DNA sequence: TAGCCTACGTTTAGGCCTAAACATAGCGGA
DNA sequence: TCCGCTATGTTTAGGCCTAAACGTAGGCTA
């Protein structure tokens, strides 16, 4: 049996963590804990769930992210390293490694870009097409089930709160120099 | 200059991703994308921000999580590997590695547990105390600023939606066997 | 045509994680 | 007392990431 990490429902409630800090180090500001802790727990639970689901389907999350981005981009299913990095939110170095892994597995091919001679064009192979097309529908259907605990109005509300928070975090923390 | 990943605000909106799937593979269910995509983007933005903040303070996120959990537990600042795994939501193997790293840095010590002979008691050293106490206040103050884009009522709402979602994800995805 | 700058990719070092295989410790029954 | 089962930790293989160093391409200018 695989060794699962503990799940978020059995973890200490965020409010207990905040209370412990106030008891141990009076004066530390604890109000962010109530939102950041549940956020990370959900994100981790979703990531764990996706990793296990994809494991059963024979692909890893980084590779599926790569194949999905190419597949979604439409005919001719080709993007440069730079475009892939921008759409998947990881560094160019990470893309380089993902592409190398996927290329070893025969899922994508690298070729000099027709547009710019220093760019590299990454293209889905037939095997890559088959894999992503065979997996994406099932994955999305599964995740649809996970979020169905919230009704459509609640999902919209959650989504909009998250987008506002994202704007705040991205705006801060970066713009010094 | 470090190579930053692209930030979430410049990324493709979740709705554009869903529309691309509907165009490319009609029939795939796309309604989960609107909530899962923003959720992961915020989580990643927060994780990136925390990593960089802690980097300036000379500690890594995994180590701070370990030291914080011990510090919060109160006198005598000792927990077993198992308790640490339960509270930090990572596997026992990950805890073992974190503790080994922190021990090499002189921040914690391992000793046989007085309670059970097969348990290992992990305790904060004076250097560990100094580090966590010197860092936690600043980190929480910084993150307080990040979430201040939402007013208290909105934070409470977000928090409660996230907790409901966490319960759904943890309940599903695991209980087969 | 050399010098410089920027854009684009890749590689490497090292942190971090999970899953799985291993070890050991204690418990409990036959 | 031997066997088996469970609890607890550690180790290893391998995925995944960032930061930083490194190549190399093209453009621009003197």
């Amino acid at each position: 049996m695989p060794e699962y990490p503990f799940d978020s429902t059995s973890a200490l409630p965020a409010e207990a963590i905040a209370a412990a800090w106030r008891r141990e180090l009076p004066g530390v500001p604890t109000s962010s804990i109530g939102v950041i802790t549940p956020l990370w727990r959900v994100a981790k639970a979703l990531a764990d769930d996706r990793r296990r689901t994809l494991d059963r389907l024979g692909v890893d999350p980084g590779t599926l992210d790569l194949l999905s981005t190419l597949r979604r981009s439409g005919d001719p299913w080709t993007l440069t390293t730079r475009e892939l990095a921008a759409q998947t939110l990881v560094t160019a170095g990470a893309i380089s490694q993902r592409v190398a892994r996927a290329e070893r597995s025969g899922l994508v091919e690298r070729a000099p870009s027709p547009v710019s001679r220093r760019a590299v064009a990454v293209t889905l192979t037939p095997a890559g097409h088959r894999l992503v097309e065979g997996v994406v529908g099932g994955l999305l259907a599964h995740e649809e089930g996970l979020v169905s605990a919230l009704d459509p109005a609640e999902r919209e509300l959650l989504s909009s709160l998250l987008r506002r928070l994202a704007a705040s975090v991205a705006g801060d923390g970066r713009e010094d120099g």
Side-chain angles (χ1 to χ4, degrees), chain A:
Chain A
M1 186 163 40
E3 183 202 5
Y4 289 133
F6 294 81
D7 73 272
S8 8
T9 50
S10 66
L12 218 51
E15 191 37 54
I17 293 177
W21 278 129
R22 286 191 294 268
R23 182 188 70 236
E24 293 293 323
L25 297 178
V28 300
T30 54
S31 85
S32 65
I33 295 175
V35 41
I36 290 183
T37 295
L39 182 45
W40 276 356
R41 285 182 182 171
V42 183
K44 178 170 169 27
L46 285 169
D48 287 350
D49 181 89
R50 178 174 284 190
R51 185 167 23 70
R52 286 179 204 136
T53 301
L54 292 182
D55 199 58
R56 285 196 288 273
L57 298 170
V59 64
D60 59 70
T63 299
L64 186 67
D65 192 24
L66 170 66
L67 302 183
S68 294
T69 305
L70 289 170
R71 183 62 190 79
R72 274 201 316 265
S73 73
D75 198 344
W77 307 289
T78 297
L79 293 171
T80 66
T81 298
R82 213 69 191 170
E83 291 169 327
L84 287 167
Q87 289 197 35
T88 56
L89 302 184
V90 297
T91 59
I95 290 296
S96 190
Q97 294 176 61
R98 283 184 180 182
V99 170
R101 279 195 298 274
E103 194 175 38
R104 278 198 298 278
S105 307
L107 301 169
V108 301
E109 269 172 0
R110 265 190 277 215
S113 162
V115 185
S116 153
R117 200 147 4 150
R118 50 193 153 164
V120 170
V122 180
T123 305
L124 230 38
T125 63
H129 265 275
R130 279 194 301 277
L131 181 55
V132 66
E133 283 153 27
V135 161
V136 149
L139 181 68
L140 287 176
H142 173 69
E143 296 189 343
E144 194 113 332
L146 297 181
V147 302
S148 65
L150 304 180
D151 67 41
E154 290 170 328
R155 286 187 233 176
E156 182 46 51
L157 182 56
L158 174 55
S159 179
S160 98
L161 290 168
L162 289 170
R163 284 192 303 261
R164 283 177 50 205
L165 192 52
S168 163
V169 179
D172 247 60
R174 181 79 109 266
E175 69 200 29
D176 74 313

